[in-house]
Amino acid sequence: MADDGGNSGGQGGHGGAAGGGAVHAGGEVGAPHAHTDHGHGGKGNGNGHNGDANYVQTIEIPSTPSRHNSTPNPFSRKNTSIDLDDYFSGPRDISKHSKWPLFLQLHGSITPKMIVPLLLIGGWASLITALSAKYEHIELSIQPVLLTITGFVVSMGLSFRSSSAYERYAEGRRCWSQLILASQSLGRVFWVHTIERPGTAKEDLLGKLTALNLVVAYAVALKHKLRFEPYTYYEDLSDLVGHIDTLARTATEDQEVSKPKKYTIFKVIGENLGLSFATSNPRKTLKRSEKPLGNLPLEILCYLTAYADELVANQQLPVGMQQTTIYNNLGLLNDVLVNAERVLNTPLPIAYAIVISQITWLYVVLLPFQLYSALGWITIPATIFASYIILGIFFIGHEIENPFGNDVNDLPLDLFCQQIVQDMETISSRPKISTKQLVQNARNKIMYPYNNGNYFVWASQPEGTIRTALKNRPNASYEKQLPPSTRSGTRSGAENV
């Protein structure tokens, strides 16, 4: 939960960190606090308090974290505005349900991007049909055999384009599945296996929470990196990495980077319609940087590795298998980074992309010449319908080729990051439980569903009775499946208890 001190960064350059100190009667804690900068905090003199060495900052005692406060959760789409642009941009929120039939749904469809091409094809087909009808002595139609020959080539090219694009999409999803797996494993090791030392239990607890936040920060930083967003001022990232020294943070502060300006309505419409001249270069932000941007996910991974090394050195992970688990999953995070970058930076070779695009459009352009002799004026709607089918497959392959972008059909990376946040919150919501607390509980029904006796009921029985109940338990399950008239009159040890 972000503290209120961070809002003063624009004046003093410091964030109010919740730390130790004397609690005053007014509900405030008075103690010097460490200097922390937010991504857009103003630059102070290093101390954030005009050089006063005896300055004492007073902040309110932090309250219990709550999702229902004035600060919106950046990982929840419930706090985002709903505009028309959200309907045509994504990624699609899979938690929402549409009652429209699938063939009538526009959200996620490539139909909006096909409006302009279909209008052009319709105009072209109308022109060829009108000329053929007016000048009957001029033979513009060609033999349909060309339709068969070129159709086979076009289908092979579109099949190759679609299969390669979906393979990249599936590979991107596998990368994020591995990231979620590694995050959950690291969360369990940090929270459950890491020992909190008696003398420094509170510091160890806060250190574990910091490590869990860095796991979340890694996922969020990877999301922004894959979308060519290299800085740290983003709402869901600034408070997670504001306390660590990274090249991205330095570049953000030194260049006084501002958030991207909103596009004009004409550019937004052009992008939604798939017009190439209205599409911006996604790497434009990277090219304009005057400072080294580094590799933020890799830098966060280095901090996590350093924390793991300190846990091992302090003997807070006494079991060798625990140490192996933490280092293996840190390596898995690195694998995810490399594999995701491979998917991002290795598109379909440009020669394939160009020739497939050319033969597809050539086939569509030749359709009116091949259909007029058989269909007459029906050539116009027939050409449009056939073009919709062919160009639809072509545009789908183009859209899902990069699965990490902001198109409606791209992977919901924000949802994956939100899942990791919820996983870390779930793991840290309860302290490590002892075996005694787990087993010796009145609600622990040992033989459920065959017997409702709890732990204390069975603990009062001799060991032989428990062994007999376990031996007869498979028979009890079998007898429950038989009609009452065929059941044995005897009862198992479990039922007698």
Side-chain angles (χ1 to χ4, degrees):
M1 176 176 173
D3 49 40
D4 293 333
N7 297 331
S8 63
Q11 291 146 7
H14 64 272
V23 181
H24 296 280
E28 297 180 338
V29 180
H33 294 280
H35 166 73
T36 57
D37 288 329
H38 282 255
H40 279 297
K43 295 181 181 179
N45 56 6
N47 296 324
H49 46 73
N50 301 326
D52 186 1
N54 297 322
Y55 173 78
V56 176
Q57 181 186 10
T58 58
I59 63 172
E60 295 182 359
I61 298 177
S63 60
T64 303
S66 173
R67 290 301 187 203
H68 305 286
N69 50 26
S70 58
T71 303
N73 177 14
F75 298 100
S76 176
R77 295 196 64 172
K78 295 179 180 179
N79 297 301
T80 60
S81 61
I82 300 177
D83 351 267
L84 184 62
D85 183 58
D86 291 337
Y87 192 79
F88 296 102
S89 62
R92 187 171 66 92
D93 188 357
I94 61 177
S95 64
K96 295 182 179 180
H97 173 69
S98 175
K99 296 183 180 298
W100 285 93
L102 194 60
F103 69 93
L104 292 178
Q105 294 182 20
L106 284 179
H107 185 57
S109 172
I110 43 85
T111 300
K113 295 184 178 180
M114 296 179 62
I115 294 176
V116 174
L118 290 179
L119 289 177
L120 294 177
I121 292 298
W124 172 253
S126 300
L127 176 63
I128 299 302
T129 303
L131 290 176
S132 299
K134 184 175 183 180
Y135 303 102
E136 297 181 357
H137 61 282
I138 300 177
E139 186 65 30
L140 294 179
S141 62
I142 56 180
Q143 293 297 325
V145 66
L146 184 61
L147 190 70
T148 304
I149 298 174
T150 57
F152 175 76
V153 178
V154 171
S155 64
M156 292 292 293
L158 292 178
S159 176
F160 173 73
R161 177 62 185 263
S162 299
S163 60
S164 62
Y166 184 76
E167 183 180 358
R168 291 165 52 81
Y169 185 90
E171 180 66 21
R173 183 63 183 95
R174 281 192 290 269
C175 289
W176 279 85
S177 296
Q178 291 179 326
L179 174 58
I180 294 174
L181 172 62
S183 300
Q184 293 175 349
S185 300
L186 287 173
R188 287 188 295 104
V189 173
F190 288 146
W191 189 256
V192 178
H193 297 316
T194 302
I195 297 176
E196 298 176 5
R197 295 164 294 179
T200 58
K202 183 173 68 174
E203 288 75 8
D204 291 341
L205 174 62
L206 297 178
K208 290 158 67 172
L209 291 174
T210 302
L212 295 183
N213 286 340
L214 285 180
V215 173
V216 175
Y218 177 87
V220 178
L222 179 61
K223 177 195 70 174
H224 287 292
K225 180 176 178 59
L226 296 176
R227 292 178 175 174
F228 307 107
E229 299 168 346
Y231 297 107
T232 60
Y233 64 78
Y234 311 107
E235 182 185 13
D236 55 353
L237 184 62
S238 60
D239 291 327
L240 292 173
V241 298
H243 63 290
I244 59 177
D245 185 19
T246 60
L247 290 174
R249 173 188 166 189
T250 303
T252 303
E253 295 173 349
D254 291 349
Q255 298 182 98
E256 298 182 355
V257 181
S258 60
K259 295 183 178 181
K261 61 181 181 180
K262 293 185 177 181
Y263 295 138
T264 62
I265 184 64
F266 301 103
K267 187 173 181 62
V268 172
I269 294 176
E271 288 187 343
N272 291 335
L273 292 177
L275 303 180
S276 59
F277 59 82
T279 304
S280 301
N281 182 6
R283 290 178 168 84
K284 179 172 59 178
T285 305
L286 302 178
K287 294 180 178 180
R288 291 181 175 178
S289 176
E290 300 176 355
K291 296 285 184 178
L293 298 172
N295 189 331
L296 186 55
L298 183 60
E299 293 179 82
I300 295 174
L301 187 58
C302 291
Y303 281 100
L304 283 171
T305 305
Y307 177 73
D309 289 341
E310 189 167 340
L311 293 180
V312 175
N314 293 339
Q315 298 183 350
Q316 292 178 262
L317 292 174
V319 182
M321 184 58 69
Q322 298 170 354
Q323 302 173 12
T324 302
T325 301
I326 195 171
Y327 286 117
N328 285 346
N329 284 280
L330 289 173
L332 182 56
L333 290 182
N334 207 345
D335 288 342
V336 169
L337 173 61
V338 174
N339 290 332
E341 289 180 330
R342 172 175 56 82
V343 173
L344 179 67
N345 296 321
T346 315
L348 185 70
I350 189 64
Y352 280 109
I354 291 176
V355 72
I356 292 174
S357 177
Q358 289 174 340
I359 64 175
T360 302
W361 279 103
L362 181 61
Y363 179 81
V364 170
V365 167
L366 292 177
L367 278 176
F369 297 97
Q370 303 176 70
L371 297 178
Y372 177 76
S373 60
L375 300 179
W377 285 97
I378 306 298
T379 299
I380 300 174
T383 301
I384 295 177
F385 293 149
S387 300
Y388 181 86
I389 297 172
I390 297 169
L391 294 179
I393 300 175
F394 174 76
F395 279 117
I396 289 175
H398 177 74
E399 180 162 330
I400 67 174
E401 186 178 23
N402 175 18
F404 306 125
N406 286 301
D407 293 328
V408 179
N409 289 294
D410 288 334
L411 292 172
L413 303 188
D414 296 292
L415 182 63
F416 298 157
C417 292
Q418 182 181 359
Q419 179 181 346
I420 294 176
V421 171
Q422 293 173 347
D423 291 340
M424 297 302 105
E425 292 176 349
T426 300
I427 291 173
S428 60
S429 62
R430 300 290 187 274
K432 181 179 179 180
I433 192 172
S434 65
T435 304
K436 181 178 180 181
Q437 293 173 313
L438 176 65
V439 178
Q440 298 182 13
N441 192 302
R443 295 186 176 182
N444 181 17
K445 298 181 179 181
I446 302 293
M447 295 290 181
Y448 183 84
Y450 308 104
N451 183 272
N452 289 325
N454 60 25
Y455 167 81
F456 297 103
V457 172
W458 285 98
S460 64
Q461 302 297 319
E463 181 181 352
T465 303
I466 300 175
R467 298 288 183 185
T468 302
L470 292 174
K471 181 179 179 181
N472 293 331
R473 185 163 58 171
N475 298 328
S477 175
Y478 177 74
E479 288 181 358
K480 288 184 178 181
Q481 299 175 4
L482 297 177
S485 60
T486 60
R487 293 183 186 177
S488 168
T490 60
R491 295 287 183 180
S492 66
E495 292 174 331
N496 290 333
V497 177

